[in-house]
Amino acid sequence: MGAEKHVYADLEMLSSAVAAEIVAAAQKSIAARGQFTLVLSGGSTPRRLYQILAGAPAIAILWSQIQIFGGDERCVPVGDPQSNYSMAHQNLLAHIAIPPHNIHRIPADIDPPELAASAYEYLLRAGGASWKIEPTGPSFDLVLLGMGADGHTASLFPNSPALAEKERWTLPLLAPPVHDARQRITLTFPVINRSRQIFFLVSGTDKREPVQSIFADPASARDGYPAARVQAAWDSTQQRIAWFLDQAAAG
Ligand code: 6PG
């Protein structure tokens, strides 16, 4: 089944729609499997979504059964303005009744970065008392992703050796020089692409070109835009990939 495209007038409408989708996914997952493993994306686009989720009554009662993970992180101290975790904490995690042991922060402040990536991978593969990420078949219940104007997603950038990773679930890598916080830890396609659901949240005219290229010809877009490499790797009839775009990004 191909990727869905949902277009909204603006970021506010996009964020409200995705919040409703996340609540529905959480309710269904918890009813079916007693858990909901949710990977948060970084950057700025999801900020409003996180604020809406923080105040959403329907999910408020579910947080104790929801496990939160990071999709990628900059190797900066917690609290640094560049930290994806800090953005999620300020706009969501600090405002919800979620048990602290349900929040699985990427330990990107551990040095060296290879140790940070290995520690996170160990956690994901080990699981916890009330959650598990399967080594084959479905991995996370829902992964949120953004996309840069260069078509990167998580911290998987064009021409990176990380794009070819087939085994590891996390990697340390350097973002291109244009980025301030270059040292990163990121989930990789082997674990992202097995998720039951994957939502892209994309806003702004600077994303229009990669969005249009990916939807016009996903196969050829793979070379230039890593986001085009997000595809069903478990069972395309049971996995859902949905793009939530504002009009500026959709064109
Ligand atoms: C990061 C993000 C990255 C982000 C895109 C879009 O750490 O930068 O995970 O993949 O989602 O760069 O960022 P904006 O939402 O700020 O445009």
Side-chain angles (χ1 to χ4, degrees), residues 41-46 72 74 84 146-148 152-155 184 207:
S41 67
S44 56
T45 302
D72 69 312
R74 296 84 178 273
N84 287 332
M147 185 182 70
H152 83 262
T153 191
S155 283
R184 308 284 182 98
K207 316 290 177 74

Side-chain angles (χ1 to χ4, degrees), residues 104-119:
H104 311 288
R105 179 180 70 85
I106 298 176
D109 45 335
I110 290 177
D111 205 30
E114 175 54 56
L115 181 56
S118 301

Side-chain angles (χ1 to χ4, degrees), residues 13-30:
M13 300 284 285
L14 183 162
S15 304
S16 296
V18 174
E21 290 268 5
I22 292 172
V23 172
Q27 290 170 333
K28 184 178 175 189
S29 178
I30 289 167

Side-chain angles (χ1 to χ4, degrees), residues 46-111:
R47 180 177 287 114
R48 182 62 185 131
L49 164 64
Y50 296 164
Q51 293 168 352
I52 293 169
L53 280 178
I59 200 169
I61 55 173
L62 301 177
W63 288 117
S64 61
Q65 293 171 278
I66 295 175
Q67 303 292 330
I68 300 277
F69 302 85
D72 69 312
E73 186 56 279
R74 296 84 178 273
C75 294
V76 296
V78 175
D80 186 296
Q82 295 261 27
S83 161
N84 287 332
Y85 171 79
S86 295
M87 189 278 277
H89 186 264
Q90 287 161 16
N91 293 282
L92 174 60
L93 303 178
H95 308 285
I96 58 176
I98 187 167
H101 57 263
N102 285 27
I103 299 172
H104 311 288
R105 179 180 70 85
I106 298 176
D109 45 335
I110 290 177
D111 205 30

Side-chain angles (χ1 to χ4, degrees), residues 69 104 120-133 169:
F69 302 85
H104 311 288
Y120 202 56
E121 178 140 357
Y122 181 86
L123 168 78
L124 294 178
R125 290 181 183 268
S130 58
W131 61 274
K132 180 157 179 55
I133 308 298
W169 295 4

